[in-house]
């Protein structure tokens, strides 16, 4: 996996790198600078603390040196005064010095600011001086004025030792001062380094944020372009050009372009198929109407001769029955050719004459026309329409539609059944006119095909006259009037066919 | 006794009409196309013309135009097979039209009315 990744990374242009690598590297850069500057500043603070500690030590060493010098001076002065005068009060400073000096010298010798050689130089004269001072205390003295030779020698020697010690201490003091000033310089240097690092870190961080912002807005821009393209794809418009790139968004855009190409070619195929289907349908309609026309001539002869036979008195009763059957079969064929003609006619543009139409008027006309057919089958027609219900429709066409629906409702009804014609308000200013019957109902799987032309649902349900184009024609009429037609049915229960049309304000009769 | 001239290119329909009209007590003259029909009309005047629309040589509208130009009072019943030619027939001057196939009794009724109206 890492090897593959590396090869992948090496082979690609930056634009083709996956987004997660781009994003990671853009975030990693300022983060790295930030980490480095924090580490450096921690280190600087540490060093500064260390320098400050050693500076404090040097300062206290310097104080120690001063105090040691004072003690030495006090002790020496006290001893000399005592030797010269014999006054024991001069011994008090010596005693103080003796109490403190050992401690002070040890402290001085232990200071890190003092070099080993200096330490040795300090230890030796200090011990010698103490021994000398003790000897001075014990040396014989006169009654105030006479100083023995030995005492004088001791004093001279003591003077030499003191001078050496003082020099050594001064050297130490100078060293400490030098050390202090060096430390001060270093701390100052460290502080400016820390500041420079902080400034550099801040500026790199800011630049990083800026790059990140540009990167993000570029991504947002490209995603937005992809979204726009997806939208255009959805509404079937051509896509806008986007720069080619191999990352995730680039691939998304490429897929969209690909999909758009496919869609375009499918669309062209569909248009071609649609045109072909339309032309086939027109061809079929021409053929059908031609066929209907050609059928009419022989049908006229069959029906005519049949009626002549049927009207004859010279036939046996069996022959008379045959003649009646010929006439009935011919009439069935005539119905079929009429419907075929109506179908071909339905394909032509409909001339509509729409006006405010009272549903009950149309309903009454339909009931009057269908009454005898319904009575033949002992089906009762019930008209349940409020006289105020008006629709915006062509009354002629609405009547044709209702005749068709009622005719079906009677045709597919059981003997002694019922057909109801009703109307009620539909959604948003529309009126729903419905025709329901007590027939066998329509199976759910065939319901969507009910309004398709040339689809008889009852092929297995028994012979019922009709070509099955009536509903398709009704749909054409209703849709031409700006309405819709539909069906609610549960198999086993009679279906309810409905027509929804724009409602109309009642016109007040003058 | 009135004479009915039947012009139709289909012999079966001519035969149906001949039997139907003869039984109803009319004299029937037959012609198989428009030109023959006009010749017949000139040879023997008729009281009514039953005219098919689609015919070879001269179609029903051609015959009708000729009749309206020459024989002003002759009633013409046109038989149409096309869905819309009925209205066209009336516009062109036919006195009545019937759609093929027809109901025998209705056709006879129409024939009687036209003859009575012309008489």
């Amino acid at each position: 996996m890492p090897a593959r990744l590396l090869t992948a990374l090496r082979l690609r242009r930056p634009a083709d790198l996956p987004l997660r690598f781009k994003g990671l590297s853009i975030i990693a850069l300022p983060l790295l600078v930030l980490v480095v500057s924090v580490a450096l500043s921690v280190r600087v603070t540490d060093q500064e603390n260390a320098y400050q500690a050693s500076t404090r030590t040097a300062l206290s060493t310097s104080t120690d040196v001063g105090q040691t010098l004072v003690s030495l001076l006090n002790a020496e002065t006290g001893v000399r005064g005592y030797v010269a005068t014999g006054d024991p009060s001069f011994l008090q400073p010596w005693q103080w010095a003796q109490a403190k000096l050992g401690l002070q010298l040890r402290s001085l010798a232990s200071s890190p600011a003092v070099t080993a050689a200096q330490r040795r130089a300090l230890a030796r004269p200090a011990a010698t001086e103490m021994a000398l001072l003790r000897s001075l205390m014990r040396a014989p003295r006169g009654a105030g004025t006479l100083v023995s030779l030995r005492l004088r020698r001791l004093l001279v020697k003591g003077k030499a030792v003191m001078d050496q010690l003082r020099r050594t201490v001064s050297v130490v003091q100078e060293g400490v001062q030098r050390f202090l000033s060096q430390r001060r310089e270093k701390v100052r240097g460290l502080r400016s380094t820390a500041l420079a690092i902080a400034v550099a870190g801040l500026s790199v961080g800011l630049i990083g944020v800026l790059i990140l912002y540009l990167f993000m807005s570029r991504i947002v821009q490209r995603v937005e372009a992809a979204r726009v393209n997806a939208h255009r794809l959805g509404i079937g418009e051509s896509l806008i050009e986007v720069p080619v790139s191999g990352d995730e968004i680039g691939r998304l855009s490429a897929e969209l372009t690909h999909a758009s190409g496919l869609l375009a070619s499918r669309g062209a195929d569909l248009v071609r198929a649609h045109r072909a289907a339309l032309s086939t349908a027109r061809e079929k309609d021409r053929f059908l109407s031609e066929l209907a026309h050609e059928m009419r001539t022989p049908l006229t002869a069959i029906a005519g001769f049949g009626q002549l036979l049927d009207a004859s008195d010279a036939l046996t009763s069996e022959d008379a029955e045959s003649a009646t059957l010929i006439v009935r079969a011919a009439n069935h064929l005539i119905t079929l050719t009429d419907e075929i003609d109506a179908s071909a006619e339905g394909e032509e543009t409909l001339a509509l004459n729409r006006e405010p139409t009272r549903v009950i008027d149309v309903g009454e006309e339909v009931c009057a026309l269908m009454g005898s057919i319904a009575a033949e089958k002992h089906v009762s027609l019930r008209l349940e329409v409020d006289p105020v219900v008006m629709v915006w429709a062509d009354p002629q066409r609405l009547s044709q539609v209702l005749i068709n629906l009622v005719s079906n409702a009677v045709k597919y009804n059981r003997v002694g059944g019922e057909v109801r014609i009703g109307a009620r308000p539909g959604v948003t200013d529309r009126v729903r006119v419905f025709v329901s019957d007590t027939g066998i109902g329509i199976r759910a799987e065939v319901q969507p095909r009910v309004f398709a032309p040339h689809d008889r649902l009852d092929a297995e349900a028994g012979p019922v006259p009709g070509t099955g184009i009536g509903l398709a024609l009704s749909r054409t009429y209703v849709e031409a009037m700006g309405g819709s037609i539909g069906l609610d049915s549960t198999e086993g229960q009679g279906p309810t066919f409905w027509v929804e049309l724009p409602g109309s304000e009642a016109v007040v009769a003058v | 006794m009135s004479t009915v001239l039947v012009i139709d290119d289909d012999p079966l329909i001519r035969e149906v009409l001949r039997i139907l009209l003869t039984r109803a007590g009319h004299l029937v003259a037959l012609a198989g196309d428009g030109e023959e029909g006009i010749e017949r009309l000139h040879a023997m005047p008729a009281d009514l013309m039953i005219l098919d629309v689609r015919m070879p040589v001269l179609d029903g509208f051609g015959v009708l135009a000729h009749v309206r130009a020459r024989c002003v009072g002759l009633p013409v019943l046109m038989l149409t097979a096309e869905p819309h030619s009925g209205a066209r027939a009336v516009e062109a001057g036919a006195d009545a039209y019937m759609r093929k196939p027809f109901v025998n009794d209705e056709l006879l009724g129409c024939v009687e009315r036209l003859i009575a109206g012309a008489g």
Side-chain angles (χ1 to χ4, degrees):
Chain A
M1 177 71 192
R4 233 186 71 201
L5 206 70
L6 277 175
T7 347
L9 290 181
R10 256 204 306 276
L11 287 178
R12 286 178 183 179
R13 300 184 294 134
D16 295 343
L17 284 178
L19 283 183
R20 52 181 180 279
F21 288 114
K22 287 187 200 168
L24 213 61
S25 44
I26 282 171
I27 292 170
L29 198 68
L31 204 65
L32 192 71
V33 173
L34 196 68
V35 166
V36 166
S37 80
V38 165
L40 280 175
S41 78
V42 165
R43 175 115 181 78
V44 165
T45 311
D46 277 354
Q47 287 202 355
E48 210 179 295
N49 285 343
Y51 286 146
Q52 271 173 4
S54 59
T55 305
R56 269 196 300 279
T57 313
L59 277 173
S60 81
T61 306
S62 172
T63 313
D64 284 350
V65 167
Q67 281 173 352
T68 309
L69 279 176
V70 169
S71 293
L72 281 172
L73 206 61
N74 281 348
E76 198 186 343
T77 313
V79 169
R80 281 204 187 107
Y82 172 69
V83 168
T85 61
D87 184 353
S89 70
F90 279 106
L91 281 179
Q92 210 161 9
W94 178 76
Q95 278 162 345
W96 287 341
Q98 201 187 25
K100 285 189 217 158
L101 197 60
L103 205 64
Q104 285 171 339
L105 283 172
R106 269 200 301 281
S107 160
L108 194 59
S110 70
S111 165
V114 176
T115 64
Q118 283 173 343
R119 204 168 290 146
R120 273 196 303 278
L122 272 175
R124 205 163 11 91
T128 317
E129 171 72 357
M130 293 311 285
L132 269 174
L133 289 173
R134 253 178 243 113
S135 308
L136 273 176
M137 290 290 295
R138 281 192 303 267
R141 66 190 75 83
T145 51
L146 186 73
V147 177
S148 71
L149 189 69
R150 193 174 159 234
L151 194 58
R152 206 179 296 142
R153 260 206 320 274
L154 272 174
L155 282 174
V156 171
K157 194 179 177 189
K159 172 88 168 70
V161 170
M162 273 308 290
D163 287 346
Q164 198 192 342
L165 190 60
R166 230 180 265 120
R167 270 199 304 279
T168 307
V169 169
S170 318
V171 169
V172 168
Q173 199 166 16
E174 272 169 29
V176 167
Q177 289 300 333
R178 242 191 342 268
F179 177 80
L180 273 178
S181 68
Q182 277 171 5
R183 285 293 181 265
R184 235 174 262 128
E185 277 305 311
K186 272 201 169 163
V187 165
R188 207 172 289 141
L190 276 176
R191 281 211 180 115
S192 55
T193 310
L195 190 68
I197 288 168
V199 168
L202 195 67
S203 16
V204 174
L206 280 176
I207 291 169
V209 166
L210 188 70
I211 292 173
L212 192 62
Y213 174 77
L214 291 176
F215 175 69
M216 287 310 292
S217 41
R218 176 92 186 104
I219 286 186
V220 166
Q221 209 181 338
R222 292 172 62 204
V223 168
E224 182 61 16
R227 189 194 65 75
V228 167
N229 271 349
H231 178 70
R232 297 176 74 92
L233 185 65
I235 59 175
E237 280 181 24
S238 61
L239 303 193
I240 44 174
E241 286 276 330
V242 289
V244 178
S245 121
D247 65 9
E248 288 88 338
I249 300 175
R251 288 204 298 275
L252 173 65
S253 299
E255 290 296 342
L256 283 177
T257 312
H258 181 60
S260 157
L262 280 181
L263 213 60
S265 77
R266 298 265 159 87
D269 287 350
L270 272 181
V271 166
R272 269 195 298 279
H274 182 65
R275 272 195 206 126
L278 275 184
S279 119
T280 309
R282 272 197 297 272
E283 201 62 44
K284 182 206 69 189
D285 282 331
R286 263 200 299 281
F287 170 75
L288 273 180
S289 71
E290 194 57 36
L291 182 71
H293 182 261
E294 291 303 323
M295 278 169 68
R296 275 182 193 280
T297 307
L299 253 182
T300 307
I302 293 169
F305 285 121
Q307 287 172 78
L308 286 176
L309 267 181
D310 202 27
S312 165
D313 302 328
L315 295 179
T316 64
S317 66
E318 207 176 331
D319 288 345
E321 203 175 311
S322 302
T324 310
L325 288 177
I326 290 172
V327 172
R328 202 177 291 167
N331 284 341
H332 182 191
L333 274 178
I334 291 166
T335 314
L336 291 183
T337 43
D338 283 348
E339 288 190 11
I340 291 172
D341 275 344
S343 151
E345 186 183 10
E347 300 293 327
E348 290 161 19
T349 35
L350 285 171
L352 284 179
N353 192 10
R354 287 202 276 174
E355 56 190 61
T357 304
R358 207 184 296 273
V359 176
I360 194 157
D361 293 346
V362 179
E364 276 168 358
E365 185 192 328
V366 170
C367 284
L369 281 167
M370 302 302 294
S372 57
I373 294 172
E376 244 175 59
K377 210 175 167 182
H378 304 290
V379 171
S380 58
L381 295 182
R382 276 175 58 192
L383 182 63
E384 296 170 343
V385 178
D386 190 326
V388 300
V389 178
M390 310 273 290
V391 289
W392 177 249
D394 182 332
Q396 209 69 40
R397 296 298 187 190
L398 179 58
S399 163
Q400 277 173 301
V401 169
L402 288 185
I403 285 174
N404 189 269
L405 294 183
V406 171
S407 145
N408 279 341
V410 169
K411 212 186 282 180
Y412 296 99
N413 217 320
R414 58 182 164 79
V415 175
E418 185 185 66
V419 173
R420 281 174 58 218
I421 305 170
R424 61 181 161 78
V427 285
T428 60
D429 293 338
R430 292 170 89 82
V431 170
R432 186 176 271 219
V433 181
F434 58 89
V435 174
S436 62
D437 67 63
T438 50
I440 54 167
I442 296 172
R443 289 195 309 278
E445 66 266 26
V446 295
Q447 284 180 22
R449 304 203 318 260
V450 163
F451 297 100
H454 311 293
D455 195 353
R456 280 280 294 273
L457 307 178
D458 59 329
E460 66 269 31
V464 182
T467 52
I469 64 114
L471 285 175
L473 205 57
S474 296
R475 183 174 145 199
T476 313
Y477 290 162
V478 171
E479 284 173 0
M481 289 189 284
S484 52
I485 190 166
L487 154 73
D488 301 321
S489 178
T490 322
E491 202 180 358
Q493 270 178 31
T496 298
F497 282 85
W498 51 263
V499 171
E500 218 167 64
L501 288 165
S504 169
E505 293 296 315
V507 176
V508 180
V510 185
Chain B
M1 182 80 78
S2 46
T3 308
V4 179
L5 174 57
V6 173
I7 311 177
D8 197 312
D9 61 328
D10 189 273
L12 287 175
I13 292 177
R14 284 203 301 271
E15 187 59 9
V16 168
L17 289 171
R18 187 188 64 75
I19 297 172
L20 182 67
L21 293 168
T22 308
R23 281 191 190 171
H26 300 289
L27 271 178
V28 181
L30 300 172
D33 62 56
E35 268 183 14
E36 191 190 340
I38 289 168
E39 279 168 24
R40 280 289 162 117
L41 187 63
H42 291 313
M44 185 182 74
D47 301 298
L48 174 74
M49 180 186 275
I50 296 181
L51 187 56
D52 186 24
V53 173
R54 268 209 220 177
M55 284 184 298
V57 189
L58 183 67
D59 73 357
F61 290 112
V63 176
L64 187 61
H66 181 87
V67 169
R68 284 290 162 260
R70 301 279 178 85
C71 324
V72 179
L74 179 65
V76 177
L77 167 61
M78 282 196 100
L79 293 179
T80 71
E82 295 83 4
H84 299 294
S85 53
R88 214 183 127 200
V90 174
E91 275 169 29
D95 296 272
Y97 72 92
M98 291 203 87
R99 190 95 198 271
K100 279 188 198 173
F102 44 82
V103 176
N104 289 0
D105 292 345
E106 286 178 9
L107 185 118
L108 279 182
C110 188
V111 165
E112 302 299 344
R113 271 200 310 279
L114 288 176
I115 290 171

